[in-house]
Amino acid sequence: MNYYFIYDGNCNLCVTLVQLLETLDQGKIFRYIPMQDEQTIAQWLITSEDCQQGMMLIDANMPDRRWQGSNAAEEIGRLLPLGSIFVDAYRALPGAKWAGDRFYAQIRDNRYTLFGKRPSTYQSAYCVDDNCRS
C-alpha cells in the first residue's frame, strides 16, 4: 500500500470507481477513505470543504505529496499496470488536459444529479486501518 484515495462514499459514480479499483488492485497500492470519514481525513488536515473540490490521492510515504480532482484521476491511472501508457497519450494530446479538467469539474459538481446518491456511505474493505467494514 502506497496511496490513500479519498472519495465521496455517497456518490454512485465514485463508489463504482472504488469498487473497480478494489477489484484491480486488491489493496496492494491503494487504501480507500470516504470523505465522510472526517476523523480519518483530519489527520492530513483535510476538511469537508477541501473534499468538495474532488477526489484526492495522498502518497502514504510523503503525505504532503497529493493530487486532487482530475490530477488525482490521472495519477491513479498512471499507477495502474500499463496505465501510464494511456495517461501519457492523453497528456500528449493538445487541449486534452484542459478539456479533461473542465469535464471532471462538471461531473464533480453534478455527480448526484447525474449518477445518484447512495442511501449510506460505502466503506471499502481496503481502508486505512483494515478494520472499517462492520
Side-chain angles (χ1 to χ4, degrees):
M1 182 237 358
N2 299 318
Y3 296 88
Y4 300 122
F5 178 27
I6 300 171
Y7 65 97
D8 183 345
N10 294 337
C11 166
N12 285 328
L13 176 65
C14 307
V15 169
T16 299
L17 172 62
V18 167
Q19 291 171 334
L20 174 64
L21 289 172
E22 288 171 331
T23 301
L24 294 171
D25 179 55
Q26 298 185 349
K28 294 177 186 128
I29 299 172
F30 303 108
R31 295 294 174 166
Y32 308 92
I33 306 128
M35 69 182 202
Q36 290 79 11
D37 185 350
E38 293 179 9
Q39 182 177 353
T40 300
I41 65 173
Q43 68 184 303
W44 298 293
L45 305 176
I46 296 170
T47 66
S48 295
E49 292 77 25
D50 296 328
C51 292
Q52 295 308 313
Q53 297 306 307
M55 63 181 167
M56 298 180 78
L57 185 67
I58 300 172
D59 184 326
N61 298 318
M62 298 179 358
D64 288 339
R65 189 170 166 216
R66 49 182 75 177
W67 301 262
Q68 188 161 23
S70 63
N71 293 325
E74 291 174 25
E75 190 63 18
I76 289 165
R78 193 187 66 74
L79 292 166
L80 294 172
L82 302 175
S84 62
I85 294 169
F86 297 102
V87 173
D88 291 345
Y90 162 77
R91 289 178 177 167
L93 292 171
K97 174 68 173 154
W98 179 87
D101 289 348
R102 271 116 202 105
F103 181 72
Y104 179 88
Q106 287 299 310
I107 297 294
R108 176 199 66 209
D109 295 345
N110 298 290
R111 63 189 179 272
Y112 296 140
T113 302
L114 295 169
F115 301 100
K117 187 173 181 177
R118 298 175 58 84
S120 61
T121 301
Y122 178 77
Q123 297 287 338
S124 172
Y126 303 104
C127 59
V128 175
D129 60 8
D130 291 325
N131 190 25
C132 44
R133 274 202 183 155
S134 23

